[in-house]
């Protein structure tokens, strides 16, 4: 459903009334520098040669909505995170964990802000079909178990190519390899967890993970806005606006939608629809406005590309390059066995080639310039590894259609995902201001 622009604008401006100490200095009537609707602006979409950016600048209503969402944080999550100075960091996290595990009524002296956050997440949207969500999760388990561990690093660093969206991550200390590794593992943990059976039910582990991710992002906003001189709102707008949550949550269905449209279709099949429903509900729990959660191939592509067409682009090596290099060099596995070392080398090559193919249109010169060089050996490893993964995934797809063994195959996938989660370690999904470091872009 599409909200009226005036309703969205009111919601954006209410942030200053609800949390004046954080948002009172924002001029919501003046667009930040990152907002780039001009025809000659250099935007993220403008770097994709095969797409006509002008075609995504001719819808005044959508442009107006996206312009407002550029300045929208997470009103409910931010209000709870703003209690950190009074509750304390550990207590803020612990109370949310208890509310997810036991229910809000089991939390003694739960503040109204926590109650509001949990109640908001418990409210299911009218369009939600949980049977479709479970079908989508069952399908995604194949890729989650077999493919995602090799691609997650490459997908993660794609968000670091633009200083206008990458700066919050740099400020939180992710320029260091240890922190970068933790963030990659947390991202992998979230998506793997939400693919497990029943994960997005009210007391499922995916629901809890979504709540923790929301708190982490809100902590970033509260921390950077509470420290003088840390954040340039006139240039960057809202730290981690909801609009910037969309790529992470919906990237699988964006690629899927492009494939559907390329085949001349305008509607999803039942299985494709299930994959979309999983991504939409996962994103809804993360706080994305329903406006941004389209359910047709054309709308998904249109909203995604309009967001990219209006996000100003600039590569800053101090911020973007620092994040890219730290993430590519980060050690993601502690498995020192011969098998673990082989897997680590394979993942390193596959993630690099995937990143260049998917997000740099195969431009290896640019990849080298931003700190992600790809060698011939990487291509050989990528080809061999992807061929093996494709064969394994095909076998699981065949098994999923056979009544006798499909449940056994699914249990095996669940087991492999749970083993992955154990290897990643416990994800804390927190952002501690003690680790923050200025990383102002040039």
């Amino acid at each position: 459903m599409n909200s009226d622009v005036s309703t969205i604008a009111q919601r954006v401006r209410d942030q200053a009334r609800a949390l004046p100490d954080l948002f009172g200095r924002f001029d919501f009537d003046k667009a930040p520098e990152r907002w780039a609707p001009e025809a000659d602006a250099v935007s993220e979409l403008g770097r994709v040669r095969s797409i006509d950016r002008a075609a995504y600048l001719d819808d005044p209503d959508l442009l107006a909505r996206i312009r407002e969402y550029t300045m929208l944080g997470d009103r409910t999550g931010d209000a709870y995170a703003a209690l950190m100075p009074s509750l304390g960091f550990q207590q803020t996290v612990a109370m949310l964990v208890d509310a997810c595990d036991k229910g809000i009524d089991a939390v003694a002296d739960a503040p109204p802000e926590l109650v509001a956050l949990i109640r908001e997440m418990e409210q299911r949207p009218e369009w939600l079909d949980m049977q479709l969500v479970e079908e989508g999760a069952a399908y995604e388990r194949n890729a989650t178990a077999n493919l995602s561990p090799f691609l997650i690093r490459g997908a993660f660093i794609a968000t670091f190519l633009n200083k206008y969206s990458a700066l919050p991550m740099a400020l939180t200390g992710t320029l260091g390899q240890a922190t970068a590794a933790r963030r990659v593992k947390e991202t992998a943990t979230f998506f793997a967890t939400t693919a497990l059976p029943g994960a997005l039910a009210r007391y499922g582990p995916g629901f809890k993970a979504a709540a923790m991710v929301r708190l982490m992002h809100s902590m970033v906003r509260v921390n950077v806005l509470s420290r003088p001189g840390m954040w340039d709102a006139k240039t960057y707008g809202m730290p981690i606006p909801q609009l910037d949550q969309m790529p992470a949550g919906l990237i699988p269905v964006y690629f899927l939608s492009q494939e559907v449209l390329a085949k001349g279709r305008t509607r999803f099949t039942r299985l494709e629809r299930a994959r979309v429903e999983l991504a939409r509900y996962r994103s809804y729990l993360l706080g994305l406005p329903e406006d941004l959660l389209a359910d047709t191939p054309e709308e998904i592509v249109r909203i995604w590309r309009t967001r990219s067409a209006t996000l100003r682009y600039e590569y800053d090596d101090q911020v973007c390059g620092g994040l890219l290099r730290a993430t590519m060099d980060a050690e993601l596995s502690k498995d020192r066995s011969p098998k673990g070392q082989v897997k680590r080398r394979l993942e390193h090559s596959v993630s690099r080639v995937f990143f260049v193919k998917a997000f740099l249109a195969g431009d290896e010169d640019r990849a080298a310039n931003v700190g992600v060089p790809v060698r011939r050996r990487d291509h050989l490893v990528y080809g061999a590894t992807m061929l093996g993964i494709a064969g394994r995934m095909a076998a699981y797809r065949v098994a999923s259609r056979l009544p006798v063994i499909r449940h056994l195959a699914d249990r095996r996938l669940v087991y492999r995902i749970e083993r992955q989660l154990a290897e990643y370690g416990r994800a804390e999904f927190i952002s501690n201001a003690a680790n923050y470091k200025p990383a102002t872009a040039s």
Side-chain angles (χ1 to χ4, degrees):
M1 79 178 180
N2 289 342
S3 299
D4 180 81
V5 174
S6 62
T7 302
I8 303 170
Q10 188 63 47
R11 183 181 178 190
V12 169
R13 284 150 186 78
D14 280 346
Q15 294 174 112
R17 286 183 277 274
L19 297 169
D21 290 343
L22 291 178
F23 304 117
R25 61 190 173 91
F26 279 67
D27 183 354
F28 291 108
D29 293 325
K30 184 177 181 180
E33 183 181 299
R34 66 166 271 166
W35 172 249
E38 315 95 65
D40 60 348
V42 178
S43 74
E44 284 202 343
L45 191 68
R47 298 182 299 114
V48 183
R49 300 184 185 92
S50 60
I51 299 176
D52 179 12
R53 175 175 176 262
Y56 298 94
L57 299 176
D58 61 357
D59 185 337
D61 179 72
L62 180 56
L63 287 177
R65 286 190 284 128
I66 288 182
R67 183 264 185 253
E68 293 297 338
Y69 284 135
T70 296
M71 297 296 286
L72 180 67
D74 180 350
R75 290 183 57 201
T76 318
D78 294 349
Y80 180 58
L83 298 180
M84 278 192 298
S86 57
L87 289 179
F89 176 77
Q90 297 296 337
Q91 182 70 357
T92 303
V93 174
M95 292 181 82
L96 179 61
V97 170
D98 285 345
C100 290
D101 288 342
K102 306 171 186 176
I104 191 63
D105 294 334
V107 181
D109 302 317
E113 292 83 357
L114 176 59
V115 176
L117 175 59
I118 293 299
R119 295 297 185 222
E120 181 179 285
M121 293 185 66
E122 289 176 337
Q123 183 66 42
R124 290 185 172 182
E126 293 180 0
W127 46 262
L128 180 63
D129 183 334
M130 284 303 292
Q131 182 178 342
L132 271 179
V133 170
E134 288 300 323
E135 290 177 17
Y139 179 87
E140 291 295 332
R141 283 196 280 277
N142 192 351
T144 300
N146 294 304
L147 183 61
S148 295
F150 292 93
L151 304 187
I152 187 65
R153 190 198 303 254
F156 188 73
I157 62 177
T159 62
F160 301 154
L161 288 172
N162 188 352
K163 78 169 188 179
Y164 289 100
S165 53
L167 187 58
M169 191 67 74
L171 292 173
T172 61
T174 312
L175 290 171
Q177 291 181 23
T179 309
R182 180 161 62 88
R183 290 300 184 219
V184 174
K185 289 180 181 180
E186 287 176 344
T187 301
T189 294
F190 172 72
F191 285 102
T193 299
T194 55
L196 292 172
L200 295 179
R202 167 58 186 91
Y203 290 97
F207 183 98
K208 177 181 177 180
M212 298 303 292
V213 170
R214 285 185 72 165
L215 177 60
M216 176 179 67
H217 290 156
S218 288
M219 282 179 169
V220 171
R221 286 188 208 95
V222 170
N223 288 330
V224 301
L225 293 176
S226 299
R227 298 175 65 172
M230 179 69 76
W231 187 255
D232 180 359
K234 292 181 179 178
T235 301
Y236 300 101
M238 178 67 62
I240 320 181
Q242 289 298 341
L243 200 62
D244 286 358
Q245 304 300 305
M246 187 172 67
L250 299 180
I251 190 170
V253 298
Y254 171 68
F255 286 146
L256 171 63
S257 298
Q258 288 190 120
E259 293 172 6
V260 169
L261 294 174
K263 294 176 181 177
R265 293 192 284 123
T266 58
R267 305 184 69 154
F268 292 118
T269 64
R270 169 82 185 191
L271 184 54
E272 291 166 347
R273 184 73 186 83
R275 295 169 62 189
V276 171
E277 195 80 352
L278 170 66
R280 292 176 78 211
Y281 188 47
R282 187 163 52 196
S283 298
Y284 171 86
L285 290 176
L286 289 174
L288 262 73
E290 292 183 64
D291 260 13
L292 302 177
L293 303 177
D295 61 356
T296 67
E298 291 175 310
E299 277 297 290
I300 290 170
V301 169
R302 188 172 73 99
I303 292 175
W304 180 290
R305 290 182 178 176
T306 303
R307 180 252 180 196
S308 297
T310 53
L311 175 57
R312 196 175 305 279
Y313 174 80
E314 184 177 333
Y315 182 85
D316 181 277
D317 190 66
Q318 181 180 350
V319 172
C320 306
L323 287 167
L324 286 167
R325 289 185 287 272
T327 304
M328 289 309 301
D329 293 339
E331 188 64 74
L332 300 184
S333 174
K334 296 181 180 179
D335 185 352
R336 300 302 175 189
S337 68
K339 182 179 178 181
Q341 292 181 27
V342 170
K343 184 178 178 180
R344 189 159 56 248
R345 286 196 292 268
L346 295 179
E347 182 273 332
H348 192 262
S349 291
V350 171
S351 62
R352 284 173 176 261
V353 177
F354 168 71
F355 167 69
V356 176
K357 286 178 175 290
F359 302 104
L360 295 183
D363 189 341
E364 294 187 12
D365 289 338
R366 183 166 178 241
N369 289 335
V370 301
V372 189
V374 176
R375 294 163 294 181
R376 184 172 181 272
R377 186 183 70 180
D378 295 322
H379 282 287
L380 294 174
V381 170
Y382 175 86
T385 304
M386 293 299 284
L387 184 62
I389 291 173
R392 184 182 302 138
M393 291 181 65
Y396 274 106
R397 279 195 294 271
V398 171
S400 71
R401 302 187 189 104
L402 301 176
V404 179
I405 63 173
R406 67 184 180 198
H407 298 298
L408 293 174
D410 189 59
R411 281 205 293 270
R412 176 64 181 173
L413 290 173
V414 170
Y415 168 76
R416 294 187 63 190
I417 293 171
E418 289 174 340
R419 193 171 62 183
Q420 281 178 24
L421 291 171
E423 183 178 329
Y424 291 143
R426 180 175 175 271
E428 296 181 332
F429 297 117
I430 57 175
S431 182
N432 194 334
N435 302 322
Y436 285 27
K437 301 175 183 177
T440 306
S442 59

